[in-house]
Amino acid sequence: MEDCGALFATERYGSGESWHYVAKDGAMESTRDGREDEPRGSSFGGLLKSVFLPQGYPESVSGDYLQYQFWDTVQAFSSSLSGTLATQASLRGVGVGNQEATVAAATVTWLLRDGTGMLGRIVFAWLKGNKLDSEAKKWRLFADILNDVAMFMEILAPFFPAWFTFIACTSGLFKAVVGVAGGATRAALTVHQARRNNMADISAKDGSQETLVNLAGLLVSLILIPLVTDNPALTISLFFLFTALHLFANYKAVRSVVMETLNEERLGIALRRFLHDGRVLTPMEANRQEPVFLGFRETLPIKLGVRLQEVVQSPEELRLALMRKGAPFLLGITNGCVRVCLAAHAHTRDEIRAACQAIWLSDVLSPSRQHGGLSGMVHKSYKLMDTEFDAFHKGLEAAGWDVTRTLLDWDEWRLEWKPKIR
């Protein structure tokens, strides 16, 4: 039998490569998983992996990365084709190909559209910027739906020349909202996917993937443009086909995301199941049940981190509220809303408990009817959490939830109160 030498070292490159070093005849030889030595990345598949996937994949990213990126690629490709149809319609609407159209009129229309979009970006970021982290899935899907609506408006605009400028500005406004919501939620998902503080690498590779997809879309568009020119029926038919694919891929993409941090929806789903049968759902189970469409609440709205005057109206009410076992938050129900005032020294665990009480109250109190004895319900929520929260919190940790930080939508107000209230 041939002497294979004595193994003296083994090294790995993530899960992709394993090398063995042996001493043989006074020299060092290396083999890769029992095969002959070959340079890393020499195969075409290895080259593609290094160009388009983050370093250290799959260990350096979340477990849902590949599935999400697949559907994200499909939606980007279909959106690219829809965008080509919309761009062609916009150019025709501003007068490209029309000898009677003037450069000045087209320029004014374009400037009005861009200006409306700029204002829309500022206003939307002001109104909803703090929601884009806590409800990233919902706003990601909303952005893509709104983008399709905007492109459909651009396709229809040339058929209504008297309203073209108004339609173009409205479409520009929608696309501005899409840009803010899409970019911000993409950043939030990148934070989730990064497992080695490699957000920049993931973002850069995501840009490479998107560029490749857009290049493929460009090549297909070169074939489509001659077919759809002066053929409105075919343009609209193809647009609806690409839009259907786009929306389906987006839905599958956000559904594939499994976030281990708690927002209000995921915390509520886990809490309700725990109070029902004592079992804490895993992140995978809770994410599957999390709604991904923006909708109207059927329960009382919740506001976290509000001012003291929104919870209590007098020193006597504050004195009674502070009789609760030293909980570092105050909770009340005013004007049809569950409000939580948080102490300055509260920790993440306290934030989760306060949110649990607020969610329970929101569930048991219907906004469609008046309730008496609200202070009694608040007191009951404290008693419930006194007996159930410790076990629930431990269950969250054991089930794989990240309880060191949350995506709960807390405002910035924090309160310090005196030990005694006269």
Side-chain angles (χ1 to χ4, degrees):
M1 180 180 295
E2 182 182 355
D3 181 17
C4 294
L7 176 68
F8 67 88
T10 301
E11 66 179 357
R12 301 183 62 84
Y13 188 90
S15 60
E17 296 183 25
S18 178
W19 294 84
H20 306 288
Y21 293 89
V22 297
K24 183 178 179 182
D25 299 330
M28 183 177 73
E29 295 184 2
S30 61
T31 58
R32 178 186 176 187
D33 292 330
R35 296 171 304 197
E36 289 300 319
D37 205 328
E38 60 181 55
R40 182 176 174 269
S42 60
S43 67
F44 182 69
L47 178 62
L48 288 178
K49 181 177 178 181
S50 64
V51 171
F52 294 106
L53 293 177
Q55 179 176 312
Y57 173 86
E59 289 84 2
S60 61
V61 296
S62 59
D64 55 18
Y65 176 84
L66 187 60
Q67 186 176 3
Y68 175 84
Q69 292 301 126
F70 171 77
W71 289 112
D72 190 53
T73 299
V74 174
Q75 71 85 18
F77 179 73
S78 54
S79 180
S80 176
L81 298 180
S82 298
T84 297
L85 300 177
T87 300
Q88 184 197 39
S90 295
L91 293 174
R92 186 167 63 249
V94 297
V96 174
N98 183 357
Q99 295 180 351
E100 298 180 0
T102 65
V103 174
T107 303
V108 168
T109 300
W110 219 261
L111 290 176
L112 287 174
R113 172 185 167 177
D114 288 349
T116 304
M118 292 174 188
L119 291 176
R121 274 193 290 272
I122 296 172
V123 173
F124 179 75
W126 168 50
L127 294 175
K128 295 296 182 181
N130 63 324
K131 295 285 186 183
L132 301 179
D133 277 308
S134 59
E135 298 180 342
K137 294 182 188 180
K138 291 182 178 181
W139 285 106
R140 178 73 176 179
L141 188 57
F142 170 81
D144 286 300
I145 293 174
L146 191 62
N147 189 48
D148 289 333
V149 172
M151 288 192 291
F152 185 58
M153 293 176 66
E154 290 179 345
I155 289 177
L156 292 182
F159 300 103
F160 303 93
W163 293 88
F164 180 83
T165 300
F166 175 78
I167 295 174
C169 290
T170 304
S171 172
L173 176 63
F174 288 174
K175 286 196 169 184
V177 171
V178 170
V180 176
T185 53
R186 176 63 242 181
L189 293 174
T190 300
V191 172
H192 157 69
Q193 291 173 337
R195 287 297 185 263
R196 294 180 181 172
N197 295 320
N198 56 339
M199 291 179 288
D201 185 28
I202 290 177
S203 180
K205 296 301 171 57
D206 182 66
S208 297
Q209 295 168 20
E210 186 172 352
T211 301
L212 180 64
V213 170
N214 289 335
L215 179 59
L218 176 64
L219 296 176
V220 176
S221 297
L222 292 175
I223 301 174
L224 285 180
I225 291 301
L227 299 177
V228 301
T229 301
D230 299 324
N231 193 336
L234 180 59
T235 298
I236 293 177
S237 298
L238 288 175
F239 175 80
F240 279 118
L241 174 64
F242 297 144
T243 298
L245 178 61
H246 179 239
L247 294 179
F248 174 75
N250 269 295
Y251 177 79
K252 295 290 288 184
V254 296
R255 270 293 178 211
S256 68
V257 176
V258 180
M259 304 190 80
E260 299 88 3
T261 44
L262 293 162
N263 65 357
E264 186 179 321
E265 293 285 359
R266 293 188 287 273
L267 179 60
I269 291 169
L271 177 65
R272 294 180 195 106
R273 182 58 182 266
F274 177 78
L275 294 178
H276 179 259
D277 61 11
R279 189 171 79 87
V280 177
L281 297 176
T282 65
M284 175 73 75
E285 293 169 328
N287 275 266
R288 285 175 179 170
Q289 299 179 34
E290 182 184 7
V292 294
F293 292 102
L294 293 172
F296 297 101
R297 295 180 63 98
E298 298 179 357
T299 55
L300 290 185
I302 296 173
K303 291 188 177 181
L304 305 173
V306 301
R307 302 187 67 182
L308 176 64
Q309 64 189 24
E310 297 183 50
V311 178
V312 297
Q313 305 298 320
S314 68
E316 177 62 19
E317 289 185 17
L318 179 58
R319 186 184 66 81
L320 292 174
L322 293 179
M323 293 175 63
R324 326 276 190 199
K325 287 192 176 182
F329 56 87
L330 302 177
L331 189 146
I333 305 170
T334 56
N335 300 323
C337 180
V338 182
R339 304 172 192 269
V340 181
C341 183
L342 192 65
H345 62 275
H347 299 292
T348 304
R349 187 179 189 278
D350 304 316
E351 294 179 2
I352 296 174
R353 168 168 172 165
C356 285
Q357 286 186 221
I359 290 169
W360 182 83
L361 283 169
S362 176
D363 286 346
V364 299
L365 300 175
S366 168
S368 61
R369 65 176 187 270
Q370 296 293 326
H371 294 276
L374 292 180
S375 61
M377 295 300 296
V378 171
H379 181 66
K380 186 175 180 181
S381 74
Y382 277 94
K383 291 183 64 176
L384 177 68
M385 288 299 118
D386 285 342
T387 58
E388 302 289 349
F389 181 72
D390 285 343
F392 177 61
H393 190 265
K394 291 178 181 177
L396 289 174
E397 289 187 280
W401 291 97
D402 181 3
V403 295
T404 62
R405 61 188 183 94
T406 72
L407 292 175
L408 298 169
D409 190 19
W410 285 95
D411 206 344
E412 296 304 310
W413 292 103
R414 296 296 182 269
L415 177 68
E416 294 183 12
W417 52 73
K418 301 293 184 181
K420 277 191 172 183
I421 304 294
R422 294 184 179 179

